[in-house]
Amino acid sequence: MTDALLETKAVAKSYGSVVALRSVDLTVQPGEIHALLGANGAGKSTLVKILSGVIAPDSGTISVNGRSVTMRRPPEALKAGLATVYQDPALVPDLTIAQNLTLTAIDEDAVRSRLTAMGLGRLDFDAQIRDLPLEVLRLLDLARALAHDPQLLLLDEITAALPSDQAEHVFGIMQEWKEKGRSVLFITHRLAEVLSLCDQATILRDGRTVAQVEPRQSGERGLVTPMLGEVAAELEAATSRVISQEAPINLATADLYSGGKVNGISFELRAGEILGIAALEGQGQDRLFELLSGDRRPDRGEVIVNGSPLRARSPYDAIRRGVVLVPSDRVLALLPKRSVRENLAIPLYNRVQRWLGLVGDEDTRTNKAIERLSIDTRAHRQVRRLSGGNQQKVVIGRWLANGFRTLLCFDPTRGIDIHTKRQIYDLLKEVADTGASVLVYTSELPEIPLLCDRVLVIYNGRIVHEQDAANATEEVLLSAAHGLEESA
Amino acid sequence: MTVADLPGVRRQAASMRLLADHPLWILGGVLVVLIAITGAIRPSYLSFSGLRNTVLLAAPLGIMAAAQTLLMLTGGIDLSVAMVATGAAYVAGNRSPSGALIAIASGLLVGLIAGATNGIGVGIFQVNPLIMTLAMAAILLGLFTSWAQTIFTGSTTVAPLIKTLGGGSFFGNRVPYNALIWVGVALVVMWLLKRTGLGRITYAIGDNPIAARLSGVRVWQVHLVLYTLAGLLAALAGILIAGRTGAVDLQLASTFLLPSVAAAVIGGTSIFGGVGSYSGTILGALILSVLNSMLTFLNVGQAIQQVVYGLIVLLLAWLYAKVTTER
Amino acid sequence: GDGASGDGGGDEGPWTIGVSNTLVGNGWREQMICAIKAEASASGVIDEVVVVNRNGGPTEQIADLESLISQGVDAIILNPTDREALNSVIEEAIDQGIVVVAVDQAVTAEGAYVVTNDQVAYGRLGAEWLFEQMGGTGNVAYMRGIDGVPADTDRDTGFQEALADFPDINVVSEVFTGWDPSTGASQALELITTQQIDGIWTSGIDYTVVDQFAAADVPYVPIVGADNNGFIAQLIELEGDGLVGAAVTNPPAIGGVGASVAISALQGENPDQEVILTPQVFDSSEQGDLEGLYDADQQVGWSTYVNIDPYTSYEAADVATCQGPGE
Amino acid sequence: MTAVVRRRALNLRRHGWSIGVWLLLAVLIGWYVLLIPRFGSFQIASIIKNSLPLVYLAIGQAVIVITGGIDLGAGAMLVLANSASATLMQDQPFLVTILIGFGIILGAAALNGFVGWIINVSRVPDIVVTLATSFIYSGLALMILPGPGGGTSAGFRILFTGSDDGTGTSFGFSLGMLLVPVVIAAFFMRRSRTGLSLYATGSDLNAAYLSGVDIRRAKVIGYAFGGAMAGLAGLATVAITGSGDPRFSIGANATLNSVAAIVLGGVALTGGIGSVVGAVAAAIIVFFLSPILSAMGIDPNTAQVVQGSLIVVVMMIAGLLALRRRRAK
Ligand SMILES: Nc1ncnc2c1ncn2[C@@H]1O[C@H](COP(=O)(O)OP(=O)(O)OP(=O)(O)O)[C@@H](O)[C@H]1O
Ligand SMILES: Nc1ncnc2c1ncn2[C@@H]1O[C@H](COP(=O)(O)OP(=O)(O)OP(=O)(O)O)[C@@H](O)[C@H]1O
Ligand SMILES: [Mg+2]
Ligand SMILES: [Mg+2]
């Protein structure tokens, strides 16, 4: 066997008292797609940051093509042949695409041809990053990384923010890289992707390498068991829940229109129901959630909460009526420098009447939320130090601590490990069982039958398909989402 | 990822970590050292009256810095505090013939109006706080200069009660009255920040205004309340300064502006919001007060004073950052 | 006036006077402007006073002066920020037939009228009074203005001249108040409570210094100040409590003198190119004179020494109302 | 795809604010022209040369703020450069004064670059470090030049003012001295990789770092550039006034004006947004508003109020525009 392309030995890294990596061994051979797996907080992103020169390890060795390397800055990793697409976009928001490329001294044409291959050929390079949707940024990040023609491509949860059609482009590129005899280190929480794409998988748990397996042989269970250790979860089938047609309608919309993005949406959501929304990227689902959560007012039509119209000037009005939002982007929802507790308690104080003094049962409420979501509070003093999955739990936990009637979740499991995902499914069902309503948009279509009772497919700002979630196959949903079947 | 993740960052020793958990100890230590140095320059400073002076001079600064702290925690700043203080003091001085209480109330009214206007500008019209308050200072200066010749003519000597509150002491002339007021303000501000919903929201807005909004906080309300409160605190500080100087003019508090920011910053409040405490600011104000005494006693020209002042502020901030920057 | 500048200071009015000042909100400067307006009104030959007033240095003042030239004023009265820096603009104005009068501080421009208080004498006269009052021996606190500003430098010259004649006088503290009352108050409090001081010379920051004696509960020492209404009031009211002091005049009414010089120049009367007012010393032993100076209805920073013979022709009340012609 | 946006609309949006500020300046000057009896080269020269120091200061401040900092010591640096140059240049021939001028600019750049370095290593927020340096610079200025004085060569004065005594009717030189630094700064910031790295650093520190930008170097360069511009402002001051003045208040006033100017000019204090071109127009407005208002016959105290209100109103408009844009998005 020749030298491995990348080999790390006993890499460790701590942040103060939080140990992010204890001892990571990873070997990536040339010409393979290698999955890096682990629950939230296992240390995947930390390893990626070390491999791309963003942070320095406390100890351990890294060698590329058999030669030991130290990378103190991102450009040094690039020089060593390692290019990374980080978990968070690494494009400068106030510059244009062209300027971002100039900044990194990357040839525009190379990026352009990459983008064309991904179906983004018409992208205006004078557009400001700030104005571009997240998926475009992910692909742009990818195209930029490819322009370096790296030996090893590191992809940290790139597919988490991508709708399935665009994820396909990424898979194509991974294949291409493999065929070229180069390698890809691929981080994802979607095990299906691992099973179908990856040749090898290294699994981290609590900052330690616990296994290296060949996914095609081990199967899903073979991945999950080492990943989760003792708590290895059952992969249950969809549970069908029965929603009484007499249950009150908690949330409804009547012919909503907004800025050409939402073009006449009407639906009803009953107490106890979990309603899924499926859509490709950019079909108006984000605007719909803005309207429902009181962040924006519709041009036409109404949002109806418990039978009376919601005329919200700000999210406060919706929250007061019991309609609360878990946004897609955690960065929007968290107070990064404050503690978990404060993050959870914030909505308790959105009313002026409660400004003087603290709510008596603040502690009980927040503790309950922490327990119920089993939030890992090792780094509780500042939420920014939590792993992505735990951050997401905090955002959901906030509403558990506060109370609500209708929960709007926009892609709540984005970037969440399989165990936590289960926890969130169970939690949402539990919440629904107590008579609340849940509206979920998810970019992962297989989630729909696992989580929802009913599903709406949105295309071009309109509902084009509706059905029971339990029988919703990915194929049916996908074709509806492409607008191929006009039915309502 | 944050800057703290960047390379070149060393790990801290355990003792440093202990200090990092209690950054106020450092400030306390610095204060003691400065007092000792000042005492070495002028031994008689280490006496009841010397220390009383330090507190007496720090109190209005500390109150003004409370305004600054509240706003800095939201990511804002108030560059109009000095002019609001001056305006309030001017009105209080001018209304003194009608009695001290009316004078104080009229002075506070100035703070209320100016602060609320700042709050409306920042909260509702989204004007950058630095610019809003800078402009407010200019506007107030213009208004008061012309009012001084029209509606606020006459006496500018403050009422005896205000003099006593601002400059007097009790307990054998050892404890300044203004220190009592400062303690009161400090208790209220610390209670607000630590033990109330408003405090929680204040930190939240400074940390991430979008998250606060999505949690149902109406950010403009918080701005309105806090800027108004800051205006009131600045006005109170101004009235106390007037009491100490005995009379008012339109430049009364102008020298307090930069120190009010410096006190909060030295005390560990982040100019970007979301991090800080009033207890730090209190120590910051005391440190600056001792520093001023030290410079007075040094008997050197302004050139050296300015250099020394700048260097010490820089070194203090550096020391604080070094110990508290979490890695 | 008619916009016809440049054709010489002819002898037909009415004329327009432009005023350039670079310190906003300063009581002394405001009164100076009021005195200009009052004299312009009283003369009956001026139909407009255009004031450009903002905080700034020579650069700003050059721009303002050029703007006044462009506006076609017939005379310019300025309180210069610099002795030399404005000369070419002033000469440009004079070339265009504009009468230029520098008040308070001198300029060296050819053809400009200069009206100043004798700052060297100010420093010397006050110091001499103080040192004599102290019996030629003891500790003096020397409270100056702003380091590097010509008026402060001149006063220091006078002070040092006086000091040279009193070998047993010790200057134990030399501080810069920045001409800021609250800074002066803090420094005074620190000084009188931490060392033996037998006399205080102030550069016009006087009434707030006097107030500190009561705050510190320390007996008064002889003090030199300026002709501020608040200080005069203290010299009268606190005489019984043992306050001894002297007010050395540095009247803002010098603006009125400047206006009067400008007007005679416009009328073709060829006034003296240079007017230097010698300060008067009013001390607390002449209570009658002090009472003549005191005006209970005026602000502390106000100078009631407004009628300066033979130059001014207004009533004291005209200065207080601060209205120019046509306002 | 939503990402395909028309190019022209975008550019107008990005430069709209700068254009608006230049229009406001044009309107104000037009108004001024109507108010004064004569308008000619003397007035043009006056407007251009006198605004040079604040324009330079604003360019430097803009660069620093775009890089994600703020320089409260800019005005003090102006005073320091002014005092040092007036002291050194007195009675020197033209060529020597030019050399001294370059020396001052380099020195100012080095000193302020050092401040940027201190900010990097100390991790003390910019506003605090530069607050401290504002005192230090002022103190140094006063040490170098204890009172107003000093001088420079006639040629040096011509260079900035077009006249050997600082006042006159020729404005060619001033216009050149206005345009050259503006163009250089604008090109540097928008076209060079280094300039873009400053924008990147101010816009998003992490993204910039991950993109391979040396963010510490960017900060040092930003501050050095700002220092050089403040040094140039000090030189312009010595050319206009023919002397040096070490007063603290001059620096403090200039700093506040520079901050007001860049914000008015569309530079966001949060960093990464805005252009030096807008800041230049705003600097001229901030500098000339007072005489213009006085020419309108407005009492100076009222003018102070008008000036403050104008700034607030303009910023309110900016806020409402931003809100509308967000709504429309
Ligand atoms: N800057 C930091 N300071 C302190 N702790 C940190 C910091 N960054 C990460 N951590 C901690 O290190 C651990 C590993 O985090 P990391 O982001 O690598 O997890 P991950 O495997 O990528 O998880 P996810 O799947 O949720 O993205 C977590 O416990 C996290 O709280
Ligand atoms: N019957 C209801 N219909 C609609 N919304 C409701 C209903 N009951 C409660 N809500 C909403 O659900 C949220 C939580 O309700 P809850 O009664 O727990 O409020 P709370 O947090 O205890 O506050 P408070 O008791 O002070 O009103 C609130 O926003 C409330 O407006
Ligand atoms: Mg991660
Ligand atoms: Mg309730």
Side-chain angles (χ1 to χ4, degrees):
Chain A
M1 196 167 85
T2 53
D3 270 342
L5 173 56
L6 170 78
E7 187 161 19
T8 72
K9 283 218 176 89
V11 169
K13 171 78 191 174
S14 305
Y15 294 102
S17 54
V18 179
V19 184
L21 295 182
R22 289 171 206 280
S23 171
V24 173
D25 300 324
L26 169 70
T27 310
V28 180
Q29 300 296 342
E32 74 177 13
I33 299 179
H34 194 120
L36 182 63
L37 303 177
N40 292 127
K44 304 176 295 295
S45 296
T46 306
L47 181 64
V48 166
K49 285 184 200 160
I50 289 173
L51 291 178
S52 52
V54 174
I55 51 178
D58 299 337
S59 60
T61 59
I62 302 168
S63 44
V64 176
N65 293 324
R67 292 225 310 278
S68 155
V69 291
T70 46
M71 296 168 294
R72 270 153 306 171
R73 280 168 28 75
E76 295 175 14
L78 286 173
K79 213 173 283 167
L82 275 53
T84 307
V85 176
Y86 300 94
Q87 193 166 0
D88 308 308
L91 292 155
V92 178
D94 292 309
L95 296 183
T96 63
I97 298 175
Q99 287 170 330
N100 265 286
L101 297 180
T102 312
L103 188 67
T104 39
I106 290 172
D107 183 32
E108 277 189 30
D109 294 334
V111 173
R112 169 79 71 190
S113 61
R114 279 292 165 197
L115 288 172
T116 311
M118 296 179 214
L120 287 174
R122 300 201 0 257
L123 195 62
D124 178 3
F125 274 26
D126 281 325
Q128 227 164 352
I129 298 297
R130 189 178 283 296
D131 299 330
L132 299 173
L134 185 61
E135 346 52 90
V136 174
L137 298 185
R138 308 305 327 192
L139 295 181
L140 207 50
D141 261 332
L142 176 60
R144 193 168 64 162
L146 293 176
H148 287 287
D149 202 22
Q151 301 243 27
L152 176 65
L153 185 62
L154 298 97
L155 304 177
D156 192 353
E157 297 198 36
I158 185 167
T159 51
L162 291 182
S164 39
D165 53 335
Q166 285 173 359
E168 291 298 334
H169 290 302
V170 177
F171 301 149
I173 285 163
M174 288 163 59
Q175 285 297 344
E176 176 198 334
W177 231 242
K178 175 180 169 180
E179 279 151 24
K180 277 195 191 177
R182 311 257 170 100
S183 307
V184 178
L185 185 67
F186 181 58
I187 297 177
T188 183
H189 289 293
R190 300 176 180 177
L191 297 181
E193 295 174 353
V194 178
L195 293 172
S196 67
L197 284 166
C198 299
D199 307 309
Q200 289 288 331
T202 295
I203 299 166
L204 304 185
R205 192 170 75 228
D206 293 336
R208 225 186 278 281
T209 302
V210 289
Q212 178 171 352
V213 296
E214 279 179 44
R216 288 192 192 92
Q217 282 160 24
S218 68
E220 184 160 335
R221 183 161 296 272
L223 299 175
V224 172
T225 311
M227 194 156 105
L228 302 181
E230 286 143 35
V231 292
E234 290 288 301
L235 300 179
E236 353 152 21
T239 53
S240 60
R241 304 166 60 253
V242 184
I243 313 302
S244 145
Q245 284 308 302
E246 264 88 79
I249 297 171
N250 275 350
L251 179 72
T253 64
D255 216 17
L256 275 187
Y257 280 86
S258 174
K261 296 191 169 166
V262 168
N263 302 312
I265 287 186
S266 306
F267 68 85
E268 292 178 346
L269 176 57
R270 292 187 183 273
E273 188 180 19
I274 304 179
L275 176 59
I277 292 202
L280 297 181
E281 195 51 47
Q283 302 305 317
Q285 65 269 40
D286 28 11
R287 178 63 62 99
L288 174 65
F289 273 72
E290 280 178 42
L291 297 174
L292 296 176
S293 64
D295 206 8
R296 191 191 277 269
R297 291 232 227 175
D299 301 339
R300 210 136 60 79
E302 255 168 2
V303 176
I304 299 152
V305 179
N306 297 324
S308 61
L310 170 76
R311 303 226 167 75
R313 268 157 302 159
S314 78
Y316 172 80
D317 298 307
I319 293 166
R320 285 297 288 154
R321 302 278 306 274
V323 181
V324 305
L325 171 74
V326 174
S328 62
D329 189 354
R330 294 184 285 269
V331 174
L332 294 181
L334 288 173
L335 312 172
K337 289 182 251 173
R338 307 308 302 174
S339 66
V340 169
R341 201 166 290 284
E342 277 179 64
N343 268 275
L344 291 174
I346 252 326
L348 298 177
Y349 303 108
N350 59 16
R351 244 175 307 163
V352 180
Q353 297 91 293
R354 287 195 181 158
W355 279 4
L356 293 181
L358 291 179
V359 174
D361 59 349
E362 182 192 295
D363 273 358
T364 353
R365 284 180 186 228
T366 52
N367 283 340
K368 247 194 213 147
I370 290 172
E371 254 167 60
R372 199 155 156 207
L373 286 166
S374 37
I375 297 175
D376 173 359
T377 51
R378 279 180 302 166
H380 69 96
R381 294 243 296 226
Q382 292 201 322
V383 159
R384 69 188 170 99
R385 294 171 192 286
L386 298 184
S387 75
N390 280 301
Q391 290 183 346
Q392 184 69 4
K393 290 186 190 174
V394 170
V395 180
I396 299 177
R398 171 179 296 164
W399 296 120
L400 292 184
N402 180 64
F404 57 86
R405 299 237 113 198
T406 303
L407 183 64
L408 312 170
C409 294
F410 196 94
D411 223 359
T413 55
R414 178 183 291 180
I416 290 213
D417 70 53
I418 181 161
H419 176 60
T420 311
K421 241 179 220 172
R422 291 292 147 189
Q423 290 180 322
I424 289 178
Y425 297 163
D426 290 346
L427 182 83
L428 294 183
K429 287 178 185 169
E430 221 179 292
V431 161
D433 287 341
T434 61
S437 310
V438 180
L439 183 73
V440 205
Y441 161 75
T442 172
S443 55
E444 274 180 72
L445 298 180
E447 248 183 10
I448 296 224
L450 294 179
L451 174 62
C452 305
D453 304 316
R454 187 159 60 102
V455 58
L456 306 174
V457 181
I458 294 183
Y459 175 73
N460 196 16
R462 264 189 301 269
I463 298 174
V464 292
H465 181 89
E466 176 178 351
Q467 75 167 107
D468 272 355
N471 311 314
T473 61
E474 207 173 335
E475 293 74 53
V476 172
L477 292 176
L478 206 54
S479 74
H482 275 97
L484 297 177
E485 165 212 19
E486 283 283 340
S487 74
Chain B
M1 206 203 66
T2 65
V3 194
D5 296 346
L6 302 184
V9 171
R10 274 156 284 112
R11 292 174 58 199
Q12 318 166 299
S15 59
M16 284 290 263
R17 210 171 300 150
L18 187 67
L19 277 183
D21 286 342
H22 304 276
L24 296 188
W25 294 1
I26 310 168
L27 291 177
V30 167
L31 181 62
V32 170
V33 170
L34 277 181
I35 290 177
I37 295 175
T38 311
I41 296 172
R42 176 73 49 91
S44 50
Y45 173 74
L46 296 179
S47 63
F48 266 116
S49 64
L51 296 177
R52 175 206 62 206
N53 292 349
T54 295
V55 176
L56 185 72
L57 303 181
L61 175 60
I63 293 172
M64 215 184 271
Q68 215 65 268
T69 307
L70 286 175
L71 298 182
M72 277 167 55
L73 286 175
T74 68
I77 193 166
D78 190 347
L79 296 187
S80 68
V81 277
M83 198 55 225
V84 171
T86 303
Y90 201 85
V91 171
N94 196 260
R95 289 288 168 265
S96 279
S98 330
L101 292 181
I102 290 181
I104 293 175
S106 331
L108 291 178
L109 189 65
V110 172
L112 186 79
I113 294 171
T117 313
N118 279 334
I120 289 170
V122 173
I124 297 175
F125 290 95
Q126 312 267 308
V127 181
N128 180 295
L130 200 98
I131 292 303
M132 181 68 215
T133 55
L134 195 62
M136 174 57 67
I139 291 172
L140 287 177
L141 179 59
L143 287 178
F144 275 101
T145 315
S146 63
W147 287 343
Q149 293 153 8
T150 52
I151 52 180
F152 291 132
T153 55
S155 159
T156 47
T157 313
V158 299
L161 175 63
I162 300 181
K163 266 194 192 185
T164 309
L165 290 179
S169 302
F170 61 100
F171 203 63
N173 207 9
R174 281 178 183 156
V175 183
Y177 286 101
N178 72 3
L180 281 190
I181 297 177
W182 189 18
V183 168
V185 167
L187 290 178
V188 170
V189 170
M190 279 154 59
W191 170 75
L192 264 186
L193 288 178
K194 287 199 180 134
R195 296 258 163 271
T196 70
L198 181 60
R200 292 290 171 80
I201 288 178
T202 302
Y203 284 101
I205 286 180
D207 201 2
N208 186 353
I210 298 174
R213 180 181 144 81
L214 290 180
S215 301
V217 176
R218 280 152 300 172
V219 177
W220 65 270
Q221 295 177 335
V222 188
H223 279 143
L224 188 58
V225 168
L226 289 181
Y227 278 86
T228 307
L229 196 56
L232 284 172
L233 287 169
L236 176 61
I239 294 169
L240 292 181
I241 296 169
R244 182 160 58 78
T245 56
V248 292
D249 66 78
L250 286 181
Q251 293 178 313
L252 183 77
S254 54
T255 48
F256 281 75
L257 176 58
L258 294 183
S260 75
V261 176
V265 165
I266 289 176
T269 297
S270 161
I271 202 101
F272 304 114
V275 177
S277 71
Y278 186 55
S279 29
T281 302
I282 292 175
L283 288 170
L286 288 170
I287 286 173
L288 288 180
S289 173
V290 176
L291 189 54
N292 269 328
S293 309
M294 194 173 106
L295 293 176
T296 302
F297 296 143
L298 270 183
N299 257 340
V300 291
Q302 267 181 313
I304 294 175
Q305 279 194 19
Q306 282 170 357
V307 172
V308 170
Y309 188 88
L311 282 177
I312 291 184
V313 168
L314 181 57
L315 290 177
L316 278 181
W318 196 333
L319 177 71
Y320 193 87
K322 188 168 169 51
V323 178
T324 54
T325 306
E326 294 163 82
R327 281 96 246 201
Chain C
D2 50 11
S5 76
D7 40 311
D11 42 359
E12 351 91 64
W15 294 285
T16 301
I17 291 183
V19 178
S20 164
N21 180 45
T22 51
L23 196 52
V24 183
N26 175 290
W28 195 95
R29 296 288 185 98
E30 289 302 321
Q31 195 180 350
M32 178 193 85
I33 294 170
C34 293
I36 294 172
K37 287 183 175 175
E39 184 61 26
S41 301
S43 72
V45 296
I46 303 296
D47 68 349
E48 198 186 351
V49 177
V50 181
V51 186
V52 192
N53 187 13
R54 58 164 150 178
N55 287 319
T59 322
E60 281 81 0
Q61 193 159 33
I62 288 173
D64 292 348
L65 291 174
E66 288 177 349
S67 166
L68 287 174
I69 293 174
S70 303
Q71 290 180 48
V73 298
D74 302 296
I76 293 176
I77 299 172
L78 71 153
N79 190 321
T81 46
D82 195 287
R83 212 180 279 268
E84 316 275 346
L86 312 168
N87 285 359
S88 57
V89 193
I90 292 173
E91 281 158 15
E92 171 74 30
I94 293 168
D95 284 348
Q96 298 200 16
I98 300 171
V99 171
V100 178
V101 184
V103 296
D104 188 27
Q105 299 187 48
V107 294
T108 52
E110 188 106 358
Y113 295 93
V114 171
V115 179
T116 58
N117 292 304
D118 185 343
Q119 301 296 356
V120 177
Y122 178 99
R124 192 186 55 242
L125 292 175
E128 281 170 356
W129 175 89
L130 179 67
F131 301 156
E132 271 158 25
Q133 190 68 37
M134 293 164 62
T137 173
N139 293 340
V140 166
Y142 179 31
M143 302 185 72
R144 299 177 59 176
I146 296 176
D147 209 353
V149 168
D152 185 75
T153 314
D154 289 349
R155 288 178 182 186
D156 183 48
T157 308
F159 183 89
Q160 300 299 344
E161 282 171 16
L163 191 62
D165 296 338
F166 292 89
D168 294 334
I169 293 285
N170 251 334
V171 176
V172 290
S173 266
E174 179 175 337
V175 295
F176 291 88
T177 59
W179 277 306
D180 174 64
S182 60
T183 307
S186 318
Q187 292 166 338
L189 183 64
E190 307 261 19
L191 295 179
I192 60 179
T193 50
T194 57
Q195 74 197 116
Q196 174 61 40
I197 297 224
D198 306 311
I200 299 184
W201 184 95
T202 73
S203 193
I205 296 303
D206 37 32
Y207 46 89
T208 65
V209 170
V210 171
D211 258 345
Q212 304 315 304
F213 286 89
D217 203 13
V218 167
Y220 291 111
V221 298
I223 177 167
V224 177
D227 50 336
N228 293 311
N229 203 37
F231 184 52
I232 306 283
Q234 289 168 330
L235 292 182
I236 297 168
E237 286 160 14
L238 301 176
E239 195 207 7
D241 299 340
L243 176 65
V244 176
V248 186
T249 60
N250 177 45
I254 198 148
V257 179
S260 133
V261 168
I263 291 164
S264 10
L266 285 171
Q267 289 170 330
E269 290 168 5
N270 288 325
D272 289 338
Q273 211 61 41
E274 193 172 36
V275 176
I276 299 179
L277 301 181
T278 306
Q280 310 284 305
V281 180
F282 295 90
D283 72 37
S284 41
S285 63
E286 302 148 44
Q287 286 287 320
D289 290 353
L290 288 176
E291 267 152 29
L293 272 183
Y294 179 55
D295 183 347
D297 294 332
Q298 273 305 344
Q299 302 164 15
V300 277
W302 194 260
S303 162
T304 45
Y305 186 65
V306 287
N307 290 310
I308 299 179
D309 283 337
Y311 301 99
T312 59
S313 55
Y314 47 64
E315 300 295 321
D318 296 342
V319 182
T321 50
C322 198
Q323 283 182 343
E327 280 183 37
Chain D
M1 185 79 255
T2 45
V4 186
V5 190
R6 259 165 295 118
R7 190 175 180 147
R8 195 171 317 133
L10 249 174
N11 282 347
L12 187 64
R13 205 194 89 192
R14 206 172 305 147
H15 302 299
W17 190 258
S18 291
I19 295 169
V21 179
W22 278 99
L23 282 179
L24 178 62
L25 175 64
V27 168
L28 284 172
I29 290 183
W31 201 339
Y32 184 60
V33 169
L34 294 181
L35 286 169
I36 58 176
R38 280 182 318 214
F39 188 79
S41 49
F42 177 78
Q43 283 72 23
I44 299 174
S46 170
I47 290 174
I48 297 177
K49 77 162 160 85
N50 290 321
S51 38
L52 285 180
L54 186 57
V55 165
Y56 295 153
L57 214 55
I59 293 175
Q61 191 70 267
V63 169
I64 291 175
V65 170
I66 286 171
T67 316
I70 188 166
D71 190 358
L72 295 189
M77 176 59 96
L78 177 155
V79 170
L80 176 57
N82 173 236
S83 302
S85 55
T87 309
L88 296 171
M89 289 178 178
Q90 191 165 28
D91 303 325
Q92 299 291 340
F94 176 64
L95 277 178
V96 177
T97 55
I98 289 287
L99 287 178
I100 294 173
F102 277 112
I104 296 273
I105 291 177
L106 287 179
L111 199 53
N112 232 39
F114 177 63
V115 170
W117 179 83
I118 291 181
I119 294 170
N120 279 336
V121 298
S122 69
R123 297 168 180 225
V124 177
D126 303 61
I127 197 166
V128 184
V129 174
T130 57
L131 182 66
T133 54
S134 77
F135 287 103
I136 299 174
Y137 290 164
S138 299
L140 292 178
L142 202 52
M143 284 179 192
I144 292 171
L145 187 67
T152 183
S153 70
F156 196 78
R157 300 191 72 174
I158 292 176
L159 190 61
F160 285 89
T161 67
S163 145
D164 59 3
D165 62 4
T167 296
T169 53
S170 85
F171 54 83
F173 279 102
S174 323
L175 191 58
M177 289 304 284
L178 178 79
L179 292 181
V180 170
V182 175
V183 170
I184 291 178
F187 267 85
F188 167 69
M189 289 303 284
R190 282 293 191 192
R191 295 275 177 268
S192 76
R193 260 188 81 189
T194 310
L196 288 177
S197 76
L198 302 193
Y199 269 98
T201 304
S203 174
D204 185 333
L205 209 59
N206 291 326
Y209 183 74
L210 296 180
S211 300
V213 171
D214 187 338
I215 53 181
R216 292 171 166 235
R217 177 169 160 268
K219 180 140 269 177
V220 170
I221 290 175
Y223 272 89
F225 193 95
M229 292 311 290
L232 190 59
L235 296 180
T237 306
V238 78
I240 294 167
T241 64
S243 67
D245 193 328
R247 235 175 307 161
F248 181 77
S249 62
I250 294 178
N253 192 44
T255 302
L256 290 185
N257 279 341
S258 73
V259 173
I262 61 152
V263 173
L264 204 56
V267 176
L269 289 170
T270 44
I273 300 177
S275 74
V276 292
V277 177
V280 169
I284 302 177
I285 293 176
V286 167
F287 193 81
F288 267 93
L289 207 50
S290 167
I292 291 175
L293 292 174
S294 120
M296 293 174 188
I298 296 173
D299 160 84
N301 295 324
T302 316
Q304 189 87 6
V305 178
V306 172
Q307 197 164 346
S309 311
L310 184 82
I311 290 180
V312 171
V313 167
V314 170
M315 295 321 293
M316 281 180 178
I317 293 173
L320 292 180
L321 281 182
L323 193 71
R324 248 191 48 190
R325 199 180 305 147
R326 224 174 304 135
R327 281 277 144 96
K329 208 170 122 182

